[in-house]
Every structure is written in C-alpha cells, then in structure tokens.
C-alpha cells in the first residue's frame, strides 16, 4: 500500500517534511541514490506499450509502490517520476507533470511524450524535478530561471529555444550538451499510455538495457556493457568486455 511515511523512511528522511526547497532537495537526491533507473524488465512489456496501466482506471498504485520503491527494484522514468510525483503531492507541493523528449542516437529527438519530468513551484519560483532519467541528469531540482548550477561537479542549466525548454549539462573539459527538451504544457499520467508506439522502430528493435544511479560525488550509468562514471564532474567511459567485471559492476551499483 502506498504510504508516504514508509516512502520517506526508505529515502532516509528524518524529521518533519514540509513543502520546502530544502525538503525537495533532500528527497530528490536520495531518491536517485536509493531507487535506481533500470529498464531491464520494461523491454519485455507486452505490445500495448502501457508501462504502468496509466490509461486504466483500475491501475493499482499499491503493488507498484511495493515493487518499484520498497523492493528497491526501481524502474523506468514514467514509473519513478509517477511515484515521486505522488509523494510530492502527498507532502503538499505544488507540482505538475510535464512531457519531455530525449536525444536519441544520431542526434534525433524522440517523441514529445516520451520522458516524464515535473515542474515544482515553491514560493513563486519554478523548479525542474526529475527522479528517473537514464542518462547524465540533475541530482537536485534545477531552477527554471536559466542560471547555471553545479551539482557534484557537473554544470546544469535550462535554456529556452522557441517553444521548448532544454536541459543542458557540461562535465569537466567538455562542451555543453543537450540531455532532453520539454514543453511547459501540463500533462496527465494517462498521456504515457502508449508511450512506446511513438518511438522510432529502430529504437525499439535495438533497445539495450539501461541502468543509472546517483552515488557519492557523482553518478553512474550502464547501457548494455558500456559503463559511464562521472565523479566530481569528470567523465570516464569504459566498454566492459569481461563478464566477471560486468557482474561486479552490476552487483556494486544495482544489486
């Protein structure tokens, strides 16, 4: 059963939570440290493409909460951010769901309704929240104001280009890069009911398993056997060919 107190306990939050920026920062970081992104099971979804049953009135939040959060299995962006959104609502935050498109291989943007993010308004200021991205992403909420913010050595900023907002990031010694783009239009979770149908066919046919977790002073991702670690803003990318080494990496970060 969904329980915000159990949720906060799992996130290691102590004290009395309130709808403040300090609370949001704390639980946003801890969520990504304790509940990983992992697309493994989602690759086996049936042809409906409805990852969570979000279009169905009968969607049962309780078993999903037990599986995704309390078991530590994690999930994909829609699941992780859907759960995080529910927690924020329960805590009294002013939060809206937004739809984002990620940058696919070859520099092609995915469909507008692909990734899920949130806009949280605190004391009249808007903040981007995202607890479920598969690539390099924000560890704490990011202001919509456009200022550059450094998180664990990585620079992040939101820029506006015509109708879209773009999340950009910059690691040590590299240029600014786009992570994803989104429109400010408020969505409902049901908009993701057939999220897979809009993806390019080649993206679905050759979709590798992707994992991500925030760690002390950085974050790590694993796409098939391509391991990326970012520590204090410095990227290190390695192709893992040895199965024993790969198993060790998985057990270290995603066990």
């Amino acid at each position: 059963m969904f329980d915000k107190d159990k949720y906060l306990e799992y996130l290691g939050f102590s004290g009395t939570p309130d709808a403040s920026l300090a609370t949001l920062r704390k639980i946003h970081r801890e969520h990504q440290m304790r509940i990983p992104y992992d697309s493994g099971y989602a690759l086996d979804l049936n042809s409906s493409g409805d990852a969570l049953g979000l279009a169905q009135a009968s969607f049962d939040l309780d078993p999903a909460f037990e599986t995704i959060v309390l078991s530590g299995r994690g999930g994909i962006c829609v699941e992780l951010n859907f759960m995080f959104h529910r927690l924020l609502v329960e805590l009294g935050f002013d939060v809206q769901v937004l739809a984002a498109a990620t940058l696919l291989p070859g520099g092609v943007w995915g469909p507008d309704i692909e990734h899920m993010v949130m806009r949280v308004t605190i004391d009249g200021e808007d903040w981007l929240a995202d607890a479920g991205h598969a690539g390099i992403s924000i560890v704490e909420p990011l202001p919509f104001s456009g200022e550059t913010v450094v998180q664990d050595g990585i620079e992040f900023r939101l820029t506006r280009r015509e109708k879209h907002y773009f999340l950009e990031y910059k690691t040590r010694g590299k240029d600014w890069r786009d992570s994803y783009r989104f429109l400010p239009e408020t969505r409902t979770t049901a908009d993701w009911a057939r999220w897979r149908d809009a993806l390019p066919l080649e993206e679905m046919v050759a979709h590798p398993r992707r994992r991500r977790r925030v760690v002390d002073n950085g974050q790590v991702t694993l796409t098939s056997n391509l391991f990326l670690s970012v520590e204090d803003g410095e990227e290190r990318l390695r192709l893992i060919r040895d199965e024993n080494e790969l198993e060790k990496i998985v057990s270290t970060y995603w066990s």
Side-chain angles (χ1 to χ4, degrees), residues 135-234:
I136 296 176
S137 189
I138 56 173
V139 177
E140 297 181 357
L142 186 70
F144 268 69
S145 60
E147 66 185 273
T148 298
V149 177
V150 180
Q151 299 178 357
D152 296 343
I154 307 172
E155 296 179 65
F156 293 100
R157 68 186 181 192
L158 281 176
T159 60
R160 187 76 181 263
R161 306 176 211 163
E162 297 181 351
K163 61 182 181 178
H164 287 96
Y165 283 94
F166 288 76
L167 173 63
E168 302 179 356
Y169 68 95
K170 184 179 186 297
T171 55
R172 191 182 306 172
K174 296 185 179 294
D175 294 330
W176 284 98
R177 286 169 283 175
D178 292 330
S179 180
Y180 52 76
R181 68 181 187 181
F182 61 91
L183 297 169
E185 174 188 353
T186 301
R187 298 283 186 174
T188 68
T189 53
D191 289 329
W192 278 263
R194 299 189 63 82
W195 62 279
R196 297 202 310 171
D197 292 351
L199 289 174
L201 178 60
E202 60 272 18
E203 175 72 5
M204 292 308 303
V205 172
H207 203 295
R209 183 172 185 174
R210 303 185 70 183
R211 299 177 172 100
R212 175 181 176 268
R213 187 187 288 276
V214 169
V215 296
D216 291 337
N217 300 318
Q219 48 193 279
V220 292
T221 71
L222 183 65
T223 303
S224 188
N225 63 334
L226 191 63
F227 180 60
L228 171 67
S229 63
V230 187
E231 184 175 354
D232 292 327
E234 185 170 352

Side-chain angles (χ1 to χ4, degrees), residues 3-210:
D3 186 317
K4 68 178 176 63
D5 294 325
K6 286 185 178 180
Y7 206 148
L8 292 171
E9 181 181 0
Y10 189 86
L11 297 181
F13 187 92
S14 59
T16 303
D18 56 10
S20 67
L21 182 57
T23 294
L24 181 60
R25 281 176 169 152
K26 171 68 175 176
I27 62 177
H28 194 283
R29 174 179 287 272
E30 291 296 332
H31 202 283
Q32 296 175 83
M33 295 188 77
R34 297 169 187 257
I35 307 173
Y37 180 100
D38 191 337
S39 69
Y41 90 97
L43 300 178
D44 297 323
L45 286 175
N46 62 40
S47 60
S48 73
D50 189 353
L52 277 171
L54 293 173
Q56 304 172 13
S58 60
F59 170 69
D60 194 340
L61 179 70
D62 294 336
F65 173 67
E66 296 283 342
T67 300
I68 296 165
V69 177
L70 297 186
S71 76
R73 187 207 71 182
I76 57 176
C77 70
V78 181
E79 296 172 312
L80 296 171
N81 280 325
F82 178 71
M83 288 294 169
F84 195 59
H85 173 265
R86 174 62 182 270
L87 176 62
L88 295 183
V89 170
E90 295 260 340
L91 293 177
F93 282 95
D94 179 2
V95 54
Q96 294 83 38
V97 172
L98 307 177
T102 60
L103 195 58
L104 303 176
V108 178
W109 287 105
D112 282 340
I113 303 178
E114 177 196 357
H115 183 46
M116 178 187 287
V117 299
M118 289 157 283
R119 178 178 56 226
V120 185
T121 304
I122 301 174
D123 296 330
E125 184 173 3
D126 290 337
W127 297 82
L128 174 69
D130 182 1
H133 189 42
I136 296 176
S137 189
I138 56 173
V139 177
E140 297 181 357
L142 186 70
F144 268 69
S145 60
E147 66 185 273
T148 298
V149 177
V150 180
Q151 299 178 357
D152 296 343
I154 307 172
E155 296 179 65
F156 293 100
R157 68 186 181 192
L158 281 176
T159 60
R160 187 76 181 263
R161 306 176 211 163
E162 297 181 351
K163 61 182 181 178
H164 287 96
Y165 283 94
F166 288 76
L167 173 63
E168 302 179 356
Y169 68 95
K170 184 179 186 297
T171 55
R172 191 182 306 172
K174 296 185 179 294
D175 294 330
W176 284 98
R177 286 169 283 175
D178 292 330
S179 180
Y180 52 76
R181 68 181 187 181
F182 61 91
L183 297 169
E185 174 188 353
T186 301
R187 298 283 186 174
T188 68
T189 53
D191 289 329
W192 278 263
R194 299 189 63 82
W195 62 279
R196 297 202 310 171
D197 292 351
L199 289 174
L201 178 60
E202 60 272 18
E203 175 72 5
M204 292 308 303
V205 172
H207 203 295
R209 183 172 185 174
R210 303 185 70 183

